[in-house]
Amino acid sequence: MNTPYKNLEEHNKILHQQNELKQIQKSNPTLFDIAVIRKDFPILNQTVNGNRLIYFDNAATSQKPIQVIEAIRNYYLNDNANVHRGIHTLSNRATVAFEKARERVASFINAKSSDEIIFTRGTTESINLVANSWGLKNLKPGDKILLTEMEHHSNIVPWQIVAERTGAEIVYVPITGDDGYLDLEAFERLLTPQVKIFSIVHISNSLGTINPVKELCHKAKTLGIVTLVDAAQSAGHCPIDVSEIDCDFLTFSGHKICGPTGIGVLYGKYKILETMPPYQSGGEMILNVDYYKTAFKKPPHRFEAGTPDISGPIGLHTAMDYLDSIGRDLIFEHDKILAQYAYDRLKEISGIRIFGPPMNRGGLVSFALKDIHAHDVVTVADQFGVALRGGHHCTQPLMKKLGVESTARASFYFYNTTEEADRFINVIKEIQKFFTS
Ligand code: C6P
């Protein structure tokens, strides 16, 4: 199979060997000093149900460092005003901070211009924007929307609604099985001229699979297919370079990358954004309004109707600075080492089914214990102070494909340690003993 994935597998093998060579030292002190980092996250320093909190639900939302909390507090204490409207000092300050955050997002993902950055409420709203604005304008009967079987509901349901309205059809790149790889031969087969958009998750929230989005987007580009990357689980975990991936759209949520909830990002290539009609309308997004006709602003403001979340981008700006002060390449390495460690140790447990790649996985592990419901695993783990997530993780079609209703999931970030992973493994062993004895 001569696909980019093969190269990636080889790359993964080498990475894995390198990881083994590092011998996974406790707390990975070679990468960064976790003890120092944890001082920025007072929330982690608490007991839950009498046990020290182990926060392994980072894929749902990350914790926020004190610097982000302070930036938001500072804004409300000193600068609070509406943006783009007033010419008074506070309004100017708020507007400058808001637009500076947009510039910071552009540099964070290496976009060519801050005009390519639209603030949304999160990944979900970003994909809805593309589906409803680009999709309703460009899709018609006979067209295909190419997704993968591991997509989050946010990257399925908006397309289903738009498919119904336009007569386009959705097709899925299958996964290979429990190991959670994409079937790349099928991808090549499905890549036909009828496909108008290919929308793919970068790191799967249910499998931990790291998809080779750059290679896949480049392939799609050769047929003129528009591409969207859902970077909800990757943007805060690894370096992202939209110019290198060469995708047309990329989406992520602030709250998963140490920023506040309620703020997200849609990156879009300017030449495509320019052609797209507004998604929502009202104040802020207009140049001129008559009783019967309105002229709209250019992107990105065309897509930001109404008073936006202002403290959100300000907090997000600080979050991006914070992540880059550690280094996203190191965070990625740390995530992968911890996930591999947890995966290898979970495999010691009999009757466990672990989902996703056996190596080079993103920072999470999903699993099912024989005859024990994931919700029971998560409920009892909480009694031990371990915060996990159990359920379908908003990937119900994937769960059905895997033949399970739900999984338990541990998801890691740079402030998590191998000691925590050890305790988590012991707790899972206890839970299994409790339910099977
Ligand atoms: N996944 C999880 O626990 P929002 O809710 O808009 O911030 O993000 C949606 C989303 C989109 N794509 C992927 C790959 C995601 O993981 C998520 C959010 C959370 O896995 C909540 S279901």
Side-chain angles (χ1 to χ4, degrees):
M1 186 171 65
N2 188 20
T3 68
Y5 219 42
K6 189 168 178 204
N7 298 336
L8 195 85
E9 273 171 14
E10 279 160 11
H11 172 72
N12 291 348
K13 250 184 228 155
I14 295 163
L15 253 180
H16 188 59
Q17 284 156 5
Q18 284 170 351
N19 285 351
E20 279 180 345
L21 278 179
K22 280 188 187 140
Q23 291 179 334
I24 307 172
Q25 296 169 9
K26 291 268 171 203
S27 306
N28 308 317
T30 48
L31 294 178
F32 39 77
D33 193 338
I34 297 179
V36 170
I37 284 172
R38 285 176 76 96
K39 292 200 177 113
D40 293 332
F41 293 86
I43 196 170
L44 297 173
N45 192 21
Q46 63 175 295
T47 54
V48 167
N49 295 319
N51 293 287
R52 204 179 169 86
L53 168 67
I54 295 179
Y55 187 77
F56 277 179
D57 196 18
N58 294 286
T61 198
S62 75
Q63 296 303 344
K64 326 298 172 199
I66 197 79
Q67 290 85 340
V68 168
I69 297 164
E70 278 300 317
I72 296 166
R73 185 171 173 271
N74 218 26
Y75 163 71
Y76 280 119
L77 274 178
N78 299 305
D79 303 328
N80 176 52
N82 211 329
V83 290
H84 303 136
R85 287 168 205 240
I87 44 170
H88 60 80
T89 301
L90 261 55
S91 175
N92 279 334
R93 267 194 233 147
T95 305
V96 167
F98 184 78
E99 290 303 328
K100 275 218 157 88
R102 198 191 301 280
E103 283 166 25
R104 183 64 182 96
V105 175
S107 71
F108 191 71
I109 60 172
N110 198 25
K112 286 197 177 73
S113 155
S114 59
D115 288 342
E116 299 185 313
I117 306 301
I118 297 159
F119 285 124
T120 63
R121 283 190 300 122
T123 307
T124 303
E125 190 175 44
S126 297
I127 299 175
N128 271 278
L129 195 164
V130 177
N132 284 282
S133 173
W134 182 89
L136 287 180
K137 184 173 177 207
N138 291 287
L139 294 171
K140 56 181 189 321
D143 289 345
K144 290 185 175 171
I145 301 162
L146 185 59
L147 308 175
T148 84
E149 285 183 342
M150 65 175 87
E151 297 310 317
H152 187 276
H153 295 168
S154 297
N155 200 22
I156 295 178
V157 185
W159 296 115
Q160 287 176 347
I161 291 171
V162 166
E164 210 165 283
R165 288 188 190 159
T166 59
E169 182 198 347
I170 300 177
V171 277
Y172 290 94
V173 181
I175 56 162
T176 50
D178 279 13
D179 59 6
Y181 291 113
L182 281 182
D183 179 342
L184 288 161
E185 279 170 0
F187 169 75
E188 305 252 352
R189 272 199 309 279
L190 291 167
L191 217 54
T192 62
Q194 285 73 43
V195 175
K196 293 293 175 270
I197 183 154
F198 171 51
S199 190
I200 179 174
V201 69
H202 189 184
I203 298 183
S204 158
N205 68 320
S206 292
L207 298 165
T209 312
I210 305 168
N211 286 316
V213 286
K214 180 178 136 191
E215 289 82 351
L216 301 182
C217 287
H218 285 201
K219 271 253 151 73
K221 279 267 113 155
T222 59
L223 291 184
I225 297 166
V226 168
T227 54
L228 184 153
V229 174
D230 171 356
Q233 296 295 344
S234 60
H237 293 261
C238 62
I240 298 277
D241 186 333
V242 289
S243 300
E244 200 181 280
I245 299 170
D246 200 23
C247 49
D248 295 300
F249 299 106
L250 183 132
T251 64
F252 66 92
S253 304
H255 70 96
K256 293 189 200 290
I257 74 161
C258 290
T261 46
I263 187 68
V265 167
L266 170 65
Y267 156 81
K269 275 193 183 148
Y270 197 79
K271 67 176 182 356
I272 298 191
L273 291 179
E274 256 182 336
T275 67
M276 288 165 46
Y279 164 55
Q280 293 178 336
S281 50
E284 289 283 317
M285 47 76 76
I286 56 92
L287 278 177
N288 181 55
V289 182
D290 289 337
Y291 277 121
Y292 300 103
K293 184 110 186 98
T294 294
F296 308 120
K297 279 185 182 161
K298 289 184 171 166
H301 299 105
R302 181 186 299 168
F303 302 104
E304 293 176 355
T307 298
D309 178 1
I310 302 166
S311 66
I314 289 169
L316 180 62
H317 187 160
T318 307
M320 292 184 288
D321 287 349
Y322 187 87
L323 292 176
D324 282 345
S325 73
I326 299 171
R328 274 176 285 161
D329 45 350
L330 295 186
I331 291 173
F332 197 30
E333 191 72 3
H334 171 81
D335 278 0
K336 287 196 286 188
I337 290 172
L338 206 48
Q340 191 66 49
Y341 182 73
Y343 178 92
D344 291 342
R345 291 227 43 210
L346 277 174
K347 271 205 333 209
E348 295 165 6
I349 298 171
S350 64
I352 196 166
R353 194 170 155 203
I354 312 178
F355 302 95
M359 58 176 70
N360 197 36
R361 54 170 51 240
L364 61 94
V365 188
S366 276
F367 57 95
L369 289 174
K370 194 165 180 288
D371 299 331
I372 310 173
H373 197 281
H375 284 159
D376 291 332
V377 173
V378 174
T379 305
V380 182
D382 184 56
Q383 294 307 305
F384 289 92
V386 181
L388 304 175
R389 184 172 176 193
H392 52 63
H393 314 294
C394 295
T395 54
Q396 263 185 350
L398 174 66
M399 294 292 129
K400 287 175 195 158
K401 168 93 185 193
L402 294 168
V404 290
E405 240 176 58
S406 57
T407 71
R409 182 187 71 187
S411 53
F412 316 109
Y413 216 0
F414 53 86
Y415 38 68
N416 293 126
T417 65
T418 39
E419 287 94 339
E420 289 181 319
D422 282 335
R423 170 133 175 85
F424 152 70
I425 300 289
N426 290 340
V427 164
I428 297 301
K429 285 180 177 170
E430 285 295 317
I431 291 171
Q432 193 186 43
K433 230 188 277 167
F434 174 80
F435 279 100
T436 53
S437 59

